[in-house]
Structures are given as C-alpha cells and as structure tokens.
C-alpha cells in the first residue's frame, strides 16, 4: 500500500516536472534542462506507467499519442464561428481601416492596437473543459471543421492540462498551427532519405501533418502553435483587453506570439509593420503579414462584424511574392558538390519588392514535371531568403517556337562528363575539385557569414582568386598577401589590408562552424552543432565509424556515410591539415557520451557593457561549454557578465541578487570550465 502511494506520488511529480519543462521550452522559450535530462524524466514515467497501468491518466505526457488511426475525421460545429480577416495591401488601406474604426466609435484620440505577425499555417480551435484539453478542431469553412483532437494532442507546445487556476469552466482558444522553418527543412530531408514525398512549403507541411489520419505520424512532425484569440468562454470572465487575455493564456500554459505588442495609433501600426518586414527572413517561421486588432474588448464588441470578418481587426499583408514573367534561356549551374542545376534566366520582374531575373528549376525531374520550355510564360515565387523558383507555366501562353530544356552531356565549366545516378534526381559534374565551379563554391561556402564569417571576401573576389589561380582551396586563403590581393580588380591597398586582417581574425573559430564550413554534403549548421557536441573534437569525428556517427542526434545513415567518406578522401585530409597549419583553432570539449553534460549546461548568462573582445565571441565560447546566453536579466540568470559602462542590467542583477562577473572573473570561470585540449 505504502509502496503504491510512493509510486503514485513519483508519477505525479514526474508529470508535473515534464509539464513544467514543456512550459519553459515552448511557452517561455527558456528551457532549463538539456534534452537528455528531459528524455530521462520521460522514460522514467513511461517505465512506471508500464509497470502500473492503473497510474496512467489521460493528461499524462506519455498519452499524447493514443489510439489507432482514424478512418475519417468527425465533423465539428463551431459554436462561435471561426472568422477570416480583411486584408490591407497598402499603408493607405491601413489608414482607411484606422479612420473607419475611429469614425464608428466616434473617437478622435488614437486607438490602441495589439499587433502580432500573421502566421502562415492553419487555424485551430482548442477547447478546454475544467482545464483539460477536450477537443482540437480545424477551421473548415468557419462553421464546420474537422475533429483533429488526436493529432492536436501530439503537439508538445499545446498543454493537455492548463496551469495555475482561475480558468473559465469552458475555454475555447483559437490559434495557428505552423511548422518552423528548421523543422520543415529537417522533415523534407527525412522524407527524401526515405524516398517519401516532400512538401512544397512549411504551410503545406503543417496542414498535411495536422490532417493525418494516423496520429503517430503527426507526432513525428515538428509542429508549433501560437494562440491569438478566444472562441467560446463560459463560467468566468476574461479581461478587458486582447493583450491581457493573451497574457492570461500564457500564464495558463498556452503558447502565444513573443512578438505581440500593444501600439498606439496608425503610426504605431505602420512602424511595427515595417520592423516586422525587415525581420521577416530572420524569424524562425514563415509569416505573410501582420494582424492588427483593436485592443479593448468593449470596443471590439461595439464594432462587431461584417459578413465573415470582424470590423476590429485587419491583416496587413506583405507585398505579393509571386509574379508572371518569361523564360529567356535556361543555363546550367554547377554547385559546391558538383550538382548541376538548371537555372532559368528571366525577363526581370518585381516580386515582393525585389527584382528577380533568375530562378532555380531544381533538377531535370522538376523541369519535366512542370513542363517548362524556353519561351514559356511562368509564375515565379520568392519566399523569405530562399532562391526564387518557378511555380508553374501557363500552357495557353506557350509560343510555337518554345524550345525544350536539355541537360548537357558535359560540365559547362570544366568539360568533365555529367553523371546521373539512377536513384538520384540530381546530375553531377564528375570533375570534382578539378572543376573551377566546384572550387569557387566550396570557398564561398567556407567564407560565408554562417561558416567562417570572413569579412570582405565576397563572391566576385573569390571568382577572381580561383580564375587567376591565386588559390585553389580554402586553406590557400590564409597564405594570401596584401600585395597579391591589392593587384586584383576593385581591391585597393586598404581593403586588401582589411581582408588579410579579417582572415587572421577568422582563424579563431568554433568546432561547429569549422565543420559546417568544410562543406560536407548534407551537413548543415544544426548537424554540425550536433556532431561537435557529440564528439567534442575534430579528430574524433574524422576517426568515427558510420555506426558511431549515427549515434549523433539528427544523423541518419546517409549523412553518416557522407561524413565518413569526406574524412577519408586524401584531398580533404590535406586541406584540413593545411588549415590547421595556417593556425585555425577552436576549443574542443569532452565527447558528450563521456561527459554526460557540458560544464556550463543549465546555466544562463547575460552579457552587458563593453567587453574587450566581440560579444559574439564570448557568447560562442560560453555556448560551447553548454551555457545559455540570453538578453535580459531575470531571477533565473546564473551570471551577469558586466563590461565597462554596464547600465540597467547591472542594477537589475544587483537587485535580484544575481552573481556579477567582471572580465577577469569570467576568464577564470571559463578556464576552470574548459576541458584541456591536446
Ligand atoms: S486573428 C477574428 N491573428 O489568418 C480574427 N489570425 O485571414 C481571427 N492568422 O484564419 C483571426 N495569424 O488562421 C489572427 N496573429 C493572428 C493570425 C491569424 C494567422 C490566420 C488565421 C485566420 C486567418 C485570417
């Protein structure tokens, strides 16, 4: 009996801890424990429940994936209709909206608006009864949607049980289910590895994942949710403003947009829209505009609705990202790994405010599937920071002399044979590093901002360096002299000096950046980080077997094979040795398997004031040791690193009793935490 009670209590504690960690991670974006620790708690709960099935509760985190695949979704009737929004495409249309709102309310002062990004996913209704998630439903036609409860339960960001207290007996929350960009890319990579269908964009991937009949499939999809409104509410009043309602939802454990802001008047809206437009490409998810809502609920009620949309809200959309133009020619470009990509040269056209004159056709399968020919009129699309692409052609506009696209037999750059492996969609130049195009691309990748971040080493300059045989691989960059550089086109003595200095500085890097910079096939930034964390050092990665590589999170058999092959090629070994001789260095750490955790795991640092070295550098060093570096001081901050002229953050840290380190103290802490390297 007493054992039972202890077991029951332990299961309860584990459930609470897991719910708390989910909340920290998804709602507050402030995880407190490493993933491995979370997994341990989860597995312990699973084991307990397996041994004592009577302990299982419906809201246990282990019960997110329940049941069996459905034959079809049930219909759900929305008691409060799920509306759509009116769109504004210009600042004038926004001004008109603001005027209309104030006229109707007879207000001559500025309105207060709440603003959030317009997420590009699909709308969801979540019904909580007495704090428990009862039902999740899609929007459907606004009145009738589909019951996707089983699938919604698998979205870790959505609480099965609300936190705290004071929630209405019935609370229906509305929000958007979407797939963050990184998750989308990883999903498509996984789909490709398994020869399964890939998704055209994150929106389609989110919709396809939520409308799966088998919840086990949905559970593997990286879905996220932000709540942005309310549906039916019974039993307890909410607050007087949209923004306070959202804050309440957040307290109850529901994820809301971290970008939510309360703004004053039309000017506030226009400034927010401009700022969001500028940040759009750097957000971790796709957005297609901004939604502005009259913040005071009483005003919303006074304004009411027109047909299917509220009068108190509007979506200001970013300019259209698709346009019609003509294919003038198709050329073939050779990439870093030799992949030969058909590229359409277009009659220049404005797409979302940017002139587009080239678009990728990806590969010959795509060319055939889309049936495009030179001379065709096509739709081009530009999404975020990705290369513009051709969406489809307009058959009715095809001229009689349109010519088919043919893959050449030889590389347009080096003349080597182009090969195409049966099972692969891509054709490749067989020239390897004999091919100047492949050499140029690998140096460009190496120097890129997210790789070695070499300031002042642009594409044109790299083209010249390779064409004039001043370098033939990335390691040669570090042997370039000011004189050699100053002789190049558009290179003055001063910029040559700066570049040599930038190269000198770039030698101090981190293992994950270096790994990413090497340009190993299928090794992106996230995989490079995983590998660095797993193995701790370059030699360990280079020596690892394919099986050992596959132990790394996110590394499947294909990536493991590419990494393994890369380090066995004599040319690559030579370049790495040359890079090390040139003085490239990074901190190495204990392998994860041996260390269990990194020395600063779970510690949050905040940096402030002027430090004697660039902040990003200090930040990376801390992160390499497992620390988290955030922007604002809270009671959860472990250390504030204060440089010269530290201001408000320092006073806040002192007020909260957070430990403050000066640079000397930081150096000592880093030295103590850094494992010795060989
Ligand atoms: S509010 C009654 N806020 O946009 C107003 N909608 O065109 C309800 N959407 O179906 C919508 N992000 O799926 C609102 N921050 C946001 C949104 C948002 C995306 C979607 C939503 C809706 C569509 C309306």
């Amino acid at each position: 009996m007493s054992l039972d009670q202890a077991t029951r209590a332990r299961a309860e504690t584990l459930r609470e801890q897991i719910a708390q960690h989910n909340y920290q991670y998804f709602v507050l974006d402030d995880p407190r424990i490493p993933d491995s620790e979370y997994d341990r708690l989860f597995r312990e709960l699973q084991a307990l429940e397996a041994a004592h099935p009577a302990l299982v509760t419906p809201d246990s985190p282990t019960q997110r994936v329940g049941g069996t695949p459905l034959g079809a979704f049930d219909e759900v009737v929305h008691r409060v209709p799920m509306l759509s929004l009116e769109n504004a495409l210009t600042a004038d249309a926004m001004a008109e909206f603001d005027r209309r709102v104030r006229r109707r309310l007879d207000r001559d002062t500025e309105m207060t608006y709440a603003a959030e990004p317009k997420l590009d996913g699909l709308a969801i209704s979540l019904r909580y009864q007495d704090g428990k998630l009862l039902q999740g439903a899609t929007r459907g036609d606004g009145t009738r949607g589909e019951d996707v409860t089983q699938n919604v339960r698998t979205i870790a960001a959505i609480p099965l049980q609300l936190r705290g207290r004071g929630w209405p007996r019935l609370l229906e929350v509305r929000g958007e289910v979407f797939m963050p960009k990184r998750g989308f890319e990883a999903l498509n990579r996984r789909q490709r590895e398994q020869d399964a269908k890939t998704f055209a964009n994150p929106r389609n991937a989110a919709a396809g994942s939520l409308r799966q009949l088998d919840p086990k499939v949905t559970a593997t999809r990286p879905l996220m949710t932000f709540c942005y409104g309310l549906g039916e509410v019974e039993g307890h009043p909410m607050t007087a403003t949209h923004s306070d309602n959202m804050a309440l939802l957040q307290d109850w454990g529901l994820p809301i947009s971290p970008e939510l802001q309360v703004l004053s008047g039309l000017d506030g809206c226009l400034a927010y829209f401009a700022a969001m437009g500028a940040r759009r490409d750097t957000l971790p998810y796709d957005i297609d505009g901004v939604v502005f809502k009259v913040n005071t609920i009483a005003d919303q009620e006074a304004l009411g609705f027109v047909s299917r949309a509220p009068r108190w809200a509007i979506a200001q959309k970013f300019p259209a990202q698709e346009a019609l133009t003509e294919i003038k020619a198709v050329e073939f470009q050779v990439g870093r790994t030799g992949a030969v990509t058909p590229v359409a040269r277009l009659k220049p056209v404005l797409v979302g405010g940017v002139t587009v004159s080239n678009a990728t056709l990806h590969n010959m399968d795509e060319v055939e599937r889309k049936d495009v020919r030179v001379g065709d009129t096509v739709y081009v699309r530009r999404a975020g920071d990705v290369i513009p692409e051709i969406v489809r052609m307009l058959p009715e506009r095809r001229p009689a002399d349109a010519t088919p696209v043919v893959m050449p037999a030889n590389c347009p750059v080096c003349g080597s044979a182009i090969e195409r492996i049966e099972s692969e969609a891509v054709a490749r130049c067989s020239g390897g590093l004999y091919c100047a195009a492949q050499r140029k691309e690998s140096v460009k990748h190496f120097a890129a901002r997210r790789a070695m971040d070499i300031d002042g080493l642009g594409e044109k300059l790299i083209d010249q360096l390779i064409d004039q045989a001043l370098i033939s691989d990335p390691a040669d960059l570090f042997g370039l002299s000011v004189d050699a550089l100053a002789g190049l086109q558009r290179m003055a003595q001063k910029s040559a000096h700066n570049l040599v200095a930038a190269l000198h500085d770039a030698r101090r890097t981190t293992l994950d950046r270096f790994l990413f910079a090497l340009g190993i096939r299928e090794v992106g930034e996230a995989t490079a980080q995983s590998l660095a964390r797993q193995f701790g050092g370059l030699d360990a990665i280079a020596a690892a077997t394919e099986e050992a590589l596959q132990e790394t999170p996110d590394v499947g058999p294909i990536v493991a094979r590419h990494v393994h092959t890369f380090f066995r090629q004599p040319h690559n070994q030579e370049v790495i040795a040359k890079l090390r001789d040139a003085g490239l260095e990074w901190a190495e750490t204990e392998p994860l398997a041996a260390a269990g955790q990194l020395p600063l795991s779970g510690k949050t640092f905040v940096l402030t004031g002027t430090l004697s070295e660039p902040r990003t550098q200090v930040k990376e060093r801390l992160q390499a040791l497992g620390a988290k570096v955030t922007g604002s001081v809270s009671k959860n901050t472990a250390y504030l690193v204060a440089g010269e002229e530290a201001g408000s953050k320092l006073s806040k840290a002192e007020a909260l009793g957070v430990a403050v380190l000066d640079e000397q103290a930081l150096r000592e802490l880093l030295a103590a935490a850094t494992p010795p390297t060989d």
Side-chain angles (χ1 to χ4, degrees), residues 139-388:
R139 174 171 184 271
D141 63 5
T143 312
R144 281 159 216 279
E146 287 170 324
D147 184 335
V148 288
T149 311
Q150 290 217 60
N151 293 342
V152 160
R153 288 175 61 93
T154 70
I155 303 176
I158 297 179
L160 301 177
Q161 164 73 51
L162 296 180
R163 297 165 54 87
R165 55 187 69 248
W167 0 271
R169 192 171 47 70
L170 174 70
L171 174 67
E172 183 190 357
V173 179
R174 303 273 170 85
E176 193 87 347
V177 171
F178 59 95
M179 193 175 285
K181 295 176 191 168
R182 274 207 171 184
F184 167 72
E185 279 153 24
L187 170 63
N188 265 355
R189 205 179 320 124
R190 214 162 63 210
Q191 295 288 99
R192 267 197 299 278
E193 286 209 357
Q194 296 169 355
D195 264 336
K197 144 174 150 338
T198 55
F199 295 94
N201 54 50
R203 210 205 82 80
N204 289 359
S209 302
L210 192 66
R211 299 188 62 257
Q212 271 286 336
L213 290 169
D214 184 356
K216 288 200 181 60
V217 175
T218 312
T220 67
R221 302 288 171 80
L223 294 174
M224 181 57 199
T225 300
F226 286 146
C227 299
Y228 55 61
L230 298 171
E232 214 181 345
V233 177
E234 266 179 27
H236 197 282
M238 294 292 285
T239 75
T241 61
H242 173 75
S243 50
D244 285 346
N245 281 341
M246 294 302 107
L248 255 190
L249 294 188
Q250 184 172 38
D251 286 345
W252 291 338
L254 289 154
I256 65 163
S257 170
E259 309 295 341
L260 173 79
Q261 270 185 37
V262 178
L263 310 166
S264 194
L266 175 66
D267 288 347
C269 294
L270 296 178
Y272 182 94
F273 183 75
M276 221 19 99
R279 285 182 47 216
R280 182 181 186 190
D281 290 352
T282 66
L283 291 177
Y285 40 79
D286 279 349
I287 64 172
D288 55 1
V290 170
V291 181
F292 297 103
K293 298 167 191 171
V294 168
N295 199 35
T296 306
I297 306 291
D299 287 343
Q300 291 187 359
E301 284 166 357
L303 286 161
F305 304 88
V306 253
S307 65
R308 319 246 0 101
R311 284 205 192 87
W312 44 264
I314 195 154
Q316 188 176 10
K317 301 282 272 286
F318 296 127
Q321 302 279 340
E322 270 183 23
L324 268 184
T325 188
E326 241 170 78
I327 301 190
K328 292 289 178 203
V330 171
E331 288 171 11
F332 290 85
Q333 238 168 35
V334 185
R336 177 164 57 83
T337 60
V340 181
T341 310
V343 177
R345 306 290 177 212
L346 307 169
K347 189 170 144 202
V349 62
L350 267 181
V351 189
V354 174
T355 304
V356 171
S357 41
N358 302 305
T360 179
L361 282 159
H362 298 290
N363 55 56
M364 290 308 284
D365 286 353
E366 282 277 304
V367 171
E368 275 153 37
R369 198 170 58 72
K370 290 177 178 157
D371 184 29
V372 288
R373 297 189 185 178
V374 176
D376 274 342
T377 296
V378 292
Y379 272 105
V380 271
R381 174 165 56 211
R382 199 179 69 88
D385 51 2
V386 303
I387 306 165

Side-chain angles (χ1 to χ4, degrees), residues 571-591:
H571 171 81
N572 294 334
Q573 292 169 355
E574 258 169 54
V575 173
I576 291 172
K578 266 166 71 182
L579 285 166
R580 279 179 153 163
D581 287 346
L584 261 78
E585 53 171 2
W586 52 85
E588 301 217 332
T589 55
E590 281 279 290

